[in-house]
Amino acid sequence: MISTYRQNYNAAFSEEKYHEFVEGIKADWPEQLDFRVAETPVFVPAALKNKLIEACESFVDVIVGPHFKVKTQHAIPLGQHVPHENDHASFLAIDFAICKDSDGELIPQLIELQGFPSIFGFQSYVTEKFREYFPIPAEFSNYFSGVRTQAEYIAKLKEVIVADENPENVILLEIYPEQQKTRIDFTVTEAFLGVKAVCYTKIKKKDRKLYYEKDGRELEIKRIYNRLIFDDLTNFPDLQTDFNLTDDIDVTWVGHPNWFFRISKYTLPYLQSPYVPETRFLSEYGDEFPADLENYVLKPLFSFAGSGVKIHVELQDLKEICDPENWILQRKVNYEPVIQAPDGLVKCEIRMLYVWKDNAPRPELLTSLSRLSRGEMIGVSFNKDFTWVGGTTCFYEP
């Protein structure tokens, strides 16, 4: 996006250097990398950075507003309400397509937002890895909110995830974490914070307390860094567990499961901004749908990682939906190919990542990630057969 830095980076790039870069990641974390890391970071100009921050903060204004919980009280599906919901989410992940406006200026357009953590550990690690292997301007940073170094970044994460507990009494919760595509993040998080990834099936419940085993010792769980979503549970109908997520237990959720639903696609229709494409609940249309359905995308409210999304919408698709209150119709945005690869231009999405300390009035913007794409959809699983695509990081112009 910044031509001078892009030219310098591309001139220094080679397939051999990229191979060394990827092999360096694999050497640091053997058998853990299970998704494609792109050949390049994204160099974000100051004007676009400011628009991204402006957009995010306007959404935060809505989330901290006095009526947000009332508006989202029906976001949590029946039977999936977890007790002891805290006052606010612990994390925000806000996804933007990078587009151009009518004046030809770069502009972010909201795609999705989640009250759920992303790959906070791996993102910092891979950013430093890019600096190690490729020419990155020293004055460009991937951090926000006054954070300058990785050590300061880790300290911020620790404040939110571990707080005042012993890290041994804090776990990262997932289903079969060793099988997840994001497992490298779990490993990096443990290295950064001392918080171990524990499978849902390995947790024991005694009265109102939870326990897990580490090095032959049974340890009480006092805080759960939650990376498990209800949607995943449907993939394991015969899962045997000692407790249910909806149990009334003595534990602090870091990333309470209810906020995954409250801050989600469910929130999009409530956001009015030049940075938000028109979005409405499908139930609002009745039988009068837009005539230009080719300009819309259909999304289920309760899904993850792009599952169930229809980018080629037909009228019959809408008529066959029996629960329109659980779907949104969103006007498509035109991703602008803005990243110059050696063989053409590549589309870009940027995810802004916030953390929110207990009792803090607002969340803090901490870092971001990016995903590069040549396909119709952005996720790394949709771009496996291309180069100069996949997950990466952003470096922001000061």
Side-chain angles (χ1 to χ4, degrees):
M1 293 187 209
I2 306 176
S3 60
T4 302
Y5 297 106
R6 172 54 55 205
Q7 290 168 10
N8 292 342
Y9 184 93
N10 287 14
F13 179 84
S14 69
E15 289 296 334
E16 292 75 20
K17 179 61 70 174
Y18 173 67
H19 178 73
E20 291 176 13
F21 165 71
V22 173
E23 290 303 310
I25 296 173
K26 292 179 178 179
D28 289 345
W29 313 105
E31 307 299 324
Q32 299 301 303
L33 185 62
D34 197 20
F35 54 84
R36 194 176 200 283
V37 179
E39 283 83 345
T40 181
V42 177
F43 299 108
V44 182
L48 179 59
K49 174 182 72 173
N50 293 336
K51 290 174 185 175
L52 285 163
I53 295 172
E54 178 185 353
C56 288
E57 291 300 315
S58 72
F59 306 156
V60 170
D61 289 341
V62 173
I63 292 167
V64 301
H67 306 299
F68 185 76
K69 274 200 168 185
V70 174
K71 289 180 179 178
T72 59
Q73 63 182 341
H74 299 300
I76 304 166
L78 191 65
Q80 296 185 21
H81 186 279
V82 176
H84 306 298
E85 180 182 325
N86 56 349
D87 291 336
H88 57 71
S90 300
F91 308 95
L92 294 178
I94 308 177
D95 293 346
F96 294 94
I98 304 306
C99 308
K100 280 189 176 179
D101 63 17
S102 57
D103 296 322
E105 298 294 324
L106 293 177
I107 184 171
Q109 289 290 287
L110 180 66
I111 298 301
E112 192 169 344
L113 74 167
Q114 301 162 357
F116 194 74
S118 190
I119 52 173
F120 279 94
F122 177 75
Q123 200 54 38
S124 178
Y125 161 81
V126 78
T127 302
E128 299 303 322
K129 209 68 175 174
F130 269 111
R131 287 193 183 277
E132 180 182 339
Y133 281 85
F134 297 105
I136 307 298
E139 69 273 19
F140 278 52
S141 178
N142 58 302
Y143 299 126
F144 299 93
S145 299
V147 174
R148 296 178 181 275
T149 66
Q150 187 179 72
E152 292 173 350
Y153 174 84
I154 292 171
K156 289 275 190 183
L157 281 185
K158 189 172 184 179
E159 283 184 81
V160 173
I161 295 171
V162 180
D164 296 326
E165 294 292 348
N166 184 326
E168 286 194 331
N169 299 115
V170 185
I171 66 160
L172 185 158
L173 179 64
E174 246 294 11
I175 304 173
Y176 304 126
E178 70 283 357
Q179 299 176 19
Q180 298 294 327
K181 283 190 174 296
T182 53
R183 63 184 178 273
I184 191 169
D185 179 65
F186 308 159
T187 306
V188 175
T189 299
E190 183 173 4
F192 282 177
L193 304 179
V195 173
K196 185 178 178 60
V198 178
C199 181
Y200 185 30
T201 63
K202 300 295 185 182
I203 294 173
K204 301 299 179 186
K205 179 183 176 187
K206 299 179 182 179
D207 298 321
R208 294 174 53 87
K209 297 184 182 297
L210 301 181
Y211 298 85
Y212 78 107
E213 187 176 297
K214 180 182 180 182
D215 302 327
R217 298 173 295 147
E218 187 175 76
L219 298 170
E220 182 182 350
I221 300 168
K222 296 184 178 180
R223 291 173 73 86
I224 294 177
Y225 176 33
N226 185 43
R227 298 293 291 272
L228 187 158
I229 59 175
F230 276 99
D231 196 50
D232 273 352
L233 293 176
T234 61
N235 298 321
F236 303 96
D238 300 322
L239 204 66
Q240 299 296 313
T241 64
D242 209 37
F243 89 104
N244 295 317
L245 295 182
T246 54
D247 285 349
D248 189 353
I249 50 177
D250 293 332
V251 71
T252 298
W253 291 94
V254 187
H256 192 285
N258 292 355
W259 286 102
F260 171 78
F261 297 112
R262 289 187 181 275
I263 303 175
S264 64
K265 288 186 284 291
Y266 192 95
T267 315
L268 296 180
Y270 298 112
L271 302 176
Q272 305 298 318
S273 163
Y275 302 115
V276 181
E278 176 196 344
T279 307
R280 295 172 62 185
F281 292 109
L282 191 61
S283 56
E284 292 181 23
Y285 288 96
D287 295 324
E288 298 293 328
F289 298 112
D292 58 337
L293 285 176
E294 68 275 9
N295 293 320
Y296 288 82
V297 59
L298 179 67
K299 297 180 178 180
L301 290 180
F302 308 117
S303 69
F304 198 61
S307 63
V309 172
K310 287 183 179 291
I311 58 176
H312 301 295
V313 183
E314 302 287 345
L315 183 59
Q316 191 60 32
D317 295 327
L318 306 182
K319 290 182 176 180
E320 289 176 354
I321 291 175
C322 58
D323 57 343
E325 69 280 2
N326 292 328
W327 294 76
I328 57 171
L329 202 58
Q330 184 179 55
R331 182 168 283 278
K332 287 180 180 177
V333 299
N334 293 317
Y335 286 78
E336 182 70 21
V338 291
I339 308 300
Q340 182 66 62
D343 60 344
L345 291 165
V346 180
K347 294 181 288 188
C348 170
E349 189 169 287
I350 293 177
R351 173 178 291 179
M352 308 296 279
L353 298 175
Y354 280 76
V355 295
W356 202 339
K357 290 188 292 186
D358 295 340
N359 302 317
R362 291 176 72 93
E364 282 187 292
L365 177 59
L366 199 53
T367 189
S368 68
L369 60 82
S370 181
R371 293 179 293 183
L372 306 185
S373 173
R374 297 179 192 248
E376 284 191 301
M377 294 185 70
I378 287 285
V380 291
S381 60
F382 300 102
N383 285 270
K384 289 184 280 191
D385 299 325
F386 300 109
T387 59
W388 285 66
V389 299
T392 187
T393 194
C394 295
F395 290 103
Y396 292 86
E397 185 178 31

